[in-house]
Amino acid sequence: MPRSEPIKAVRGVRDILPAEMPVWRAAQAGAAAVARRYGYEEIITPIIEHAELIERVGEDTDAVAKELYRFDDRGGRNLALRPEATAGVVRAYFEGALNQGAQPSRLYLFGPMFRYDRPQKGRYRQFYQFNVEAIGSAAPGLDTEVVELAGDWLNEVGLQDLRLELNTIGDGKCRPPYLERLKEYYRPLKSQLGGDSQLRLERNPLRLLDSKVPQEQPFKNGAPKIIDHLCDECAEHWSSVRRLLDAASIEYQLNPYLVRGLDYYTRTVFEFYPGGATGQQDALASGGRYDGLAEAEGWPSTPGVGFAGGLDRVTELIAAAGSELTTSSPADVLVLPDGELAVEAAEVARICRAVRSVAVDYEAKSLRAKMRSANKLGARWVVLISAEDAARRVAQLREMSTGDQVELAWVELPTRLA
Ligand code: HAM
């Protein structure tokens, strides 16, 4: 057989190695703790969904149009790897009869999402989100609640310097006439727009407002702003959300060009960025209200609001901030048997596990080599077992930092290690 190159990870995905786990654990534990403090319950939904469910999120959405991992399974079903979780959580809310329980249903979820995006720092094809959804109520208090929850989470994992951007994008009543105005404004400028924006002009004109193309920036200033064209209900909702944010002393910047990439949003939309960031920067957490999503999926019309935080980006920032989270040794104790004493070593390990994390070195190698392994592992103690010791059910316990060694009966080990 010819030797082939070792097979590497797929482009755009990566491993999260043990050394990175303290930061990941902190980000996730912090998220779960904050979510529970706000009365949210955990849910897990599948990574695969019917492609059609995802398409209902919005066919003009990049995550769906260009970036969806779509495939036919062996039964010929057209499936997708979820690019985001909200569509699936809303589906589960109805299928799991959560709509029959106390409303709103407050849910949080951790998990991987998949987008065939151009890989770069902070942007991966498999990435991880912390999702928060409050489904079953249109109360503006919930818009504020999820914004506050997101901010609390980021603060508590050590990210204090943040910028919160906020906008409203109206609803099914006031947005269509506004979009007509927007199209009217942009049509005469069409030849000066880039290719993507020319396509968006008729299909999804809202996205013209968050175009990053430099030549299109000056046009935004003169574009009509939705905030000036809200219906009464949306205007009232918007003013309540802002009043509640002010009452909570949550600082935000109004960004009339914030429209979000997914099509299902109505009314409030928001994004958290690292503070002080200039230029094009990726959001750490983002979300908004999606009152039309349930209906788009074929369920009874039901309002909802939520956000997702990007764990890849949040953990990168925590790590860059030089947090004090350090990797600890995977095992406090390493059992080092002499020769063929696997049975005895396993028994001693079992005894010590009552009080400590314990690993066993089963390899046949010299004591010196075993000591080197213990150092590499960072074990605090080693337990040496010779055939002679094993026959008497005793072992030598050595403290690695001092080199102090004592002989102990196996049964005494837990007391000494505790
Ligand atoms: P999104 O803005 O598409 O919203 O993604 C939310 C967050 O996921 C982003 O702010 C970012 O931190 C992270 N993220 C997105 N794409 C990538 C990527 N390729 N690599 C790394 N991180 C990424 C949603 O997904 C909505 N479902 C949020 C939501 C929940 N809205 C209402 N409820």
Side-chain angles (χ1 to χ4, degrees):
M1 277 259 292
R3 262 183 58 184
S4 58
E5 286 287 308
I7 298 163
K8 305 270 182 66
V10 171
R11 178 170 148 79
V13 308
R14 64 191 182 135
D15 305 302
I16 295 150
L17 299 170
E20 300 169 73
M21 284 316 292
V23 173
W24 278 76
R25 265 198 300 270
Q28 284 184 305
V34 173
R36 281 197 295 268
R37 215 160 64 216
Y38 277 76
Y40 285 67
E41 294 179 293
E42 188 167 15
I43 183 170
I44 298 176
T45 65
I47 285 163
I48 49 174
E49 295 279 1
H50 287 292
E52 205 189 335
L53 177 90
I54 307 297
E55 279 153 7
R56 302 276 180 94
V57 165
E59 296 200 57
D60 290 327
T61 297
D62 287 346
V64 176
K66 299 191 214 150
E67 300 168 5
L68 194 62
Y69 278 92
R70 190 200 309 262
F71 62 98
D72 288 334
D73 76 359
R74 288 168 193 272
R77 293 170 201 90
N78 189 214
L79 304 182
L81 299 184
R82 64 181 181 196
E84 63 99 49
T86 311
V89 172
V90 167
R91 178 195 54 64
Y93 165 85
F94 288 101
E95 275 196 275
L98 300 179
N99 60 330
Q100 310 289 321
Q103 300 301 304
S105 197
R106 288 181 165 90
L107 303 166
Y108 72 94
L109 170 146
F110 291 107
M113 310 294 152
F114 303 83
R115 295 183 195 175
Y116 194 81
D117 202 352
R118 199 166 61 82
Q120 52 191 287
K121 190 173 162 48
R123 188 164 299 182
Y124 305 97
R125 289 182 172 173
Q126 174 173 338
F127 60 97
Y128 295 82
Q129 282 186 347
F130 162 47
N131 252 262
V132 168
E133 314 289 358
I135 309 174
S137 164
L142 287 171
D143 303 44
T144 311
E145 177 174 293
V146 297
V147 169
E148 192 170 359
L149 196 166
D152 279 3
W153 168 52
L154 294 168
N155 285 164
E156 284 179 31
V157 296
L159 307 179
Q160 260 88 29
D161 185 15
L162 300 168
R163 189 177 82 245
L164 166 61
E165 295 193 1
L166 190 72
N167 193 20
T168 178
I169 56 170
D171 67 2
K173 192 163 137 202
C174 51
R175 192 160 43 197
Y178 164 73
L179 293 181
E180 280 312 313
R181 284 173 188 270
L182 198 58
K183 285 187 212 169
E184 273 165 35
Y185 169 81
Y186 270 105
R187 271 185 201 126
L189 302 167
K190 186 167 178 182
S191 60
Q192 298 174 64
L193 302 177
D196 273 353
S197 293
Q198 292 201 2
L199 289 176
R200 282 175 173 158
L201 173 52
E202 296 303 328
R203 294 189 57 164
N204 195 0
L206 210 53
R207 294 299 307 278
L208 293 173
L209 296 178
D210 78 346
S211 149
K212 305 288 183 291
V213 179
Q215 83 212 44
E216 297 173 7
Q217 300 312 306
F219 304 144
K220 289 185 187 177
N221 295 330
K225 296 188 174 57
I226 186 144
I227 206 136
D228 301 324
H229 302 279
L230 295 175
C231 59
D232 290 346
E233 294 80 2
C234 284
E236 197 177 312
H237 187 92
W238 177 232
S239 83
S240 298
V241 170
R242 294 187 54 187
R243 191 163 38 82
L244 287 161
L245 288 170
D246 292 341
S249 305
I250 295 171
E251 283 180 33
Y252 55 86
Q253 289 177 11
L254 294 178
N255 177 357
Y257 308 122
L258 177 64
V259 298
R260 309 274 303 123
L262 297 154
D263 291 351
Y264 53 56
Y265 289 106
T266 51
R267 297 187 170 172
T268 317
V269 289
F270 64 93
E271 296 188 336
F272 278 92
Y273 289 89
T278 51
Q280 223 175 305
Q281 193 59 44
D282 286 318
L284 297 174
S286 38
R289 182 161 278 288
Y290 46 86
D291 294 346
L293 179 60
E295 208 173 352
E297 290 184 13
W299 305 104
S301 171
T302 305
V305 62
F307 76 90
L311 287 166
D312 303 79
R313 294 177 191 170
V314 167
T315 50
E316 269 164 34
L317 270 193
I318 301 175
S323 92
E324 277 148 38
L325 301 163
T326 47
T327 355
S328 52
S329 164
D332 299 328
V333 181
L334 183 66
V335 179
L336 291 172
D338 222 7
E340 297 288 296
L341 300 172
V343 171
E344 293 78 357
E347 184 175 347
V348 169
R350 215 168 285 129
I351 292 169
C352 296
R353 280 189 195 114
V355 294
R356 289 283 171 186
S357 54
V358 185
V360 180
D361 190 337
Y362 290 107
E363 306 309 315
K365 54 190 175 194
S366 71
L367 183 64
R368 249 178 104 130
K370 283 181 174 173
M371 283 305 190
R372 268 202 304 275
S373 308
N375 275 320
K376 219 172 194 177
L377 185 73
R380 207 166 135 194
W381 294 278
V382 295
V383 178
L384 300 155
I385 313 172
S386 65
E388 223 173 65
D389 286 349
R392 294 165 41 226
R393 295 180 72 81
V394 299
Q396 311 297 320
L397 175 70
R398 180 193 294 220
E399 179 138 20
M400 292 298 284
S401 62
T402 58
D404 291 348
Q405 194 167 311
V406 284
E407 181 174 297
L408 290 170
W410 293 355
V411 291
E412 291 173 326
L413 282 165
T415 324
R416 187 57 79 97
L417 291 170

